């Protein structure tokens, strides 16, 4: 977690300065992104909420994404990450929506993705997404890498919007 805190502090300061807000949907990072962002004093000025969306039931209950919205998508894909980011942003009326969906390990997921695979998305005035592959089966290290990757992607989106 300590490697995430400096990133979160920098992002938090930028969001406060811009008077912008965010909401987070996480899966395999298990809440580390939200925890890092909330560790910054004054986080209530920019963190509106979020959820750990680890199952289809959580997706439906917490974000209201039903099976019809999933047509043509699968979890742990860039399209799904974009849907999550857009949905969490809209549901919280936030400037930015962040999403992570992947396979932390030690094994892969049922879609054939190896451990260390995640898809990340930022939705807002700038939309970015990417697939991150760590090549590692270390669950905890992957969770930290996924969270760090999503914070980095938000930083890139904020920089693109200057």
């Amino acid at each position: 977690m300590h490697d995430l805190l400096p990133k979160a502090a920098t992002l938090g300061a930028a969001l406060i300065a811009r008077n912008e807000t965010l909401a987070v949907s996480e899966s395999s990072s298990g809440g580390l992104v939200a925890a890092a962002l909330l560790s910054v004093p004054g986080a209530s000025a920019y963190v509106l909420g979020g959820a750990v969306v680890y199952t289809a039931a959580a997706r439906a209950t917490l974000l209201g994404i039903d099976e019809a919205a999933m047509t043509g998508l699968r979890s742990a894909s860039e399209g799904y990450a974009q849907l999550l980011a857009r949905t969490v942003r809209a549901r919280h009326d936030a400037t930015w929506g962040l999403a992570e969906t992947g396979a932390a390990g030690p094994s892969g997921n049922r879609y054939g993705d190896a451990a260390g695979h995640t898809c990340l998305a930022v939705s807002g005035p700038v939309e970015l997404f990417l697939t991150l592959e760590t090549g590692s089966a270390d669950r905890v290290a992957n969770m930290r890498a996924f969270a760090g990757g999503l914070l980095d992607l938000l930083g890139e989106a904020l920089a693109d919007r200057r």
Side-chain angles (χ1 to χ4, degrees), residues 121-137:
V122 173
S123 176
V126 173
E127 291 214 343
L128 299 174
F129 58 92
L130 65 85
T131 298
L132 174 66
E133 303 281 353
T134 68
S136 171

Side-chain angles (χ1 to χ4, degrees), residues 74-140:
R74 71 168 181 87
S75 296
S77 67
E78 290 178 352
Y80 179 59
Q82 287 177 300
L83 174 64
L84 291 172
R86 290 172 181 157
T87 302
V88 78
R89 175 186 180 212
R91 285 183 76 91
H92 288 83
D93 196 25
T95 312
W96 300 97
L98 313 180
E100 176 277 327
T101 176
S107 60
N109 61 28
R110 64 183 174 181
Y111 308 105
D113 301 310
H117 165 91
T118 195
C119 294
L120 310 171
V122 173
S123 176
V126 173
E127 291 214 343
L128 299 174
F129 58 92
L130 65 85
T131 298
L132 174 66
E133 303 281 353
T134 68
S136 171
D138 184 325
R139 185 176 184 83
V140 173

Side-chain angles (χ1 to χ4, degrees), residues 4-144:
L4 302 176
L5 299 181
K7 292 178 185 187
T10 299
L11 294 167
L15 291 164
I16 288 170
R18 296 167 180 235
N19 197 32
E20 294 179 344
T21 58
L22 61 77
V24 184
S25 172
E26 299 179 69
S27 175
S28 298
S29 57
L32 290 177
V33 173
L37 291 166
L38 289 168
S39 74
V40 179
S44 61
Y46 60 89
V47 176
L48 298 181
V52 175
V53 180
Y54 202 66
T55 65
R59 178 181 66 227
T61 302
L62 298 171
L63 294 180
I65 298 173
D66 61 17
E67 288 305 313
M70 290 297 295
T71 302
L73 293 176
R74 71 168 181 87
S75 296
S77 67
E78 290 178 352
Y80 179 59
Q82 287 177 300
L83 174 64
L84 291 172
R86 290 172 181 157
T87 302
V88 78
R89 175 186 180 212
R91 285 183 76 91
H92 288 83
D93 196 25
T95 312
W96 300 97
L98 313 180
E100 176 277 327
T101 176
S107 60
N109 61 28
R110 64 183 174 181
Y111 308 105
D113 301 310
H117 165 91
T118 195
C119 294
L120 310 171
V122 173
S123 176
V126 173
E127 291 214 343
L128 299 174
F129 58 92
L130 65 85
T131 298
L132 174 66
E133 303 281 353
T134 68
S136 171
D138 184 325
R139 185 176 184 83
V140 173
N142 285 334
M143 291 173 72
R144 286 194 311 258

